[in-house]
Amino acid sequence: MSGSVQVSGAHASQHSGTDERLDVAAGILALLADRTRLALLQRLSEGEADVTTLTEAAGAARPSVSQHLGKLRLAGLVSTRKDGRRVVYALRHGHLRRLVHEALNVADHQISGLPPHD
């Protein structure tokens, strides 16, 4: 009986890890599902930028951009550093850069009617 409990426990542990992984991934994708945040991440995929540059790239009001950047920072998706009085933002993961790039590639395919591929 204790053998079955251990197997059950191991299975529950693996399931719990899978649940956590899916929850975190869903949270990341939910953050990407906002047009302004996606525009910010697209610009940051090209390199570091300050709020003024990001505001121009997103085409949104500065307070809105600051709020979105705060959410991305709290989620651990972007990092900041001070450069004098400016705050400079950067992507924290190459994975995120590729995820944004691939999402935009899918959009390009849907807009242009290109067939999907691997």
Side-chain angles (χ1 to χ4, degrees), residues 44-61:
L44 288 172
S45 73
E46 300 168 7
E48 294 181 329
D50 64 7
V51 176
T52 301
T53 303
L54 292 168
T55 298
E56 292 170 6

Side-chain angles (χ1 to χ4, degrees), residues 89-101:
Y89 290 83
L91 290 183
R92 292 198 58 210
H93 303 284
H95 294 292
L96 186 56
R97 180 180 303 107
R98 290 185 295 277
L99 181 59
V100 169
H101 181 75

Side-chain angles (χ1 to χ4, degrees), residues 16-38:
S16 174
T18 299
D19 285 348
E20 181 180 10
R21 186 177 186 214
L22 290 172
D23 289 344
V24 170
I28 291 167
L29 291 172
L31 283 169
L32 281 143
D34 180 272
R35 187 192 185 287
T36 300
R37 285 192 291 269
L38 187 57

Side-chain angles (χ1 to χ4, degrees), residues 7-86:
V7 170
S8 230
H11 180 69
S13 174
Q14 288 174 347
H15 184 68
S16 174
T18 299
D19 285 348
E20 181 180 10
R21 186 177 186 214
L22 290 172
D23 289 344
V24 170
I28 291 167
L29 291 172
L31 283 169
L32 281 143
D34 180 272
R35 187 192 185 287
T36 300
R37 285 192 291 269
L38 187 57
L40 295 171
L41 294 171
Q42 178 186 19
R43 173 52 189 87
L44 288 172
S45 73
E46 300 168 7
E48 294 181 329
D50 64 7
V51 176
T52 301
T53 303
L54 292 168
T55 298
E56 292 170 6
R62 189 179 184 100
S64 174
V65 168
S66 292
Q67 287 181 349
H68 286 293
L69 288 168
K71 289 180 182 182
L72 293 170
R73 187 179 51 77
L74 287 173
L77 302 182
V78 299
S79 61
T80 60
R81 68 175 177 82
K82 289 288 248 175
D83 182 20
R85 293 178 53 200
R86 297 180 325 139

